[in-house]
Amino acid sequence: MATFISNSPDETQGLGETWGRTADAGLVVGLSGDLGVGKTQLVKGFARGLGYSGRVHSPTFALVNVYEGGRLTLFHLDLYRLETLAQVISAGLEQYLHPEGVTVIEWAERWLDER
């Protein structure tokens, strides 16, 4: 696993943009980190790298935002409000593990947690 250190929101978005430019369909990216560390900033850059020019925001209350209009569709998931693996499973999100576009999951560790 690679480690990237960012010192600003712009650097974080730039990293996401670089990844978005080279992403292939079927890619799933899991993001983990405390509140405010820049997960959504990375997704904003990722969307820009895919060619999406609209507004990108965290889907904390919707669970999933879908961004179309770029080179690939971006599925942006946020599992923050789901506290257990059972809740994640019951939300019916499995389809996003095999996307026709690209999936980026904030709080991905909640999908893996077996509390």
Side-chain angles (χ1 to χ4, degrees), residues 42-98:
L42 189 100
V43 178
K44 286 178 181 183
F46 207 104
R48 191 169 56 230
L50 288 171
Y52 180 76
S53 59
R55 182 174 181 261
V56 173
H57 58 279
S58 182
T60 300
F61 296 101
L63 295 181
V64 180
N65 287 339
V66 179
Y67 302 107
E68 299 177 303
R71 175 173 71 76
L72 297 168
T73 299
L74 174 61
F75 303 98
H76 180 194
L77 282 65
D78 187 328
L79 306 182
Y80 179 74
R81 293 182 355 158
L82 303 178
E83 297 180 6
T84 66
L85 179 58
Q87 288 175 335
V88 173
I89 299 302
S90 69
L93 302 173
E94 292 86 5
Q95 65 184 322
Y96 299 106
L97 292 178
H98 305 284

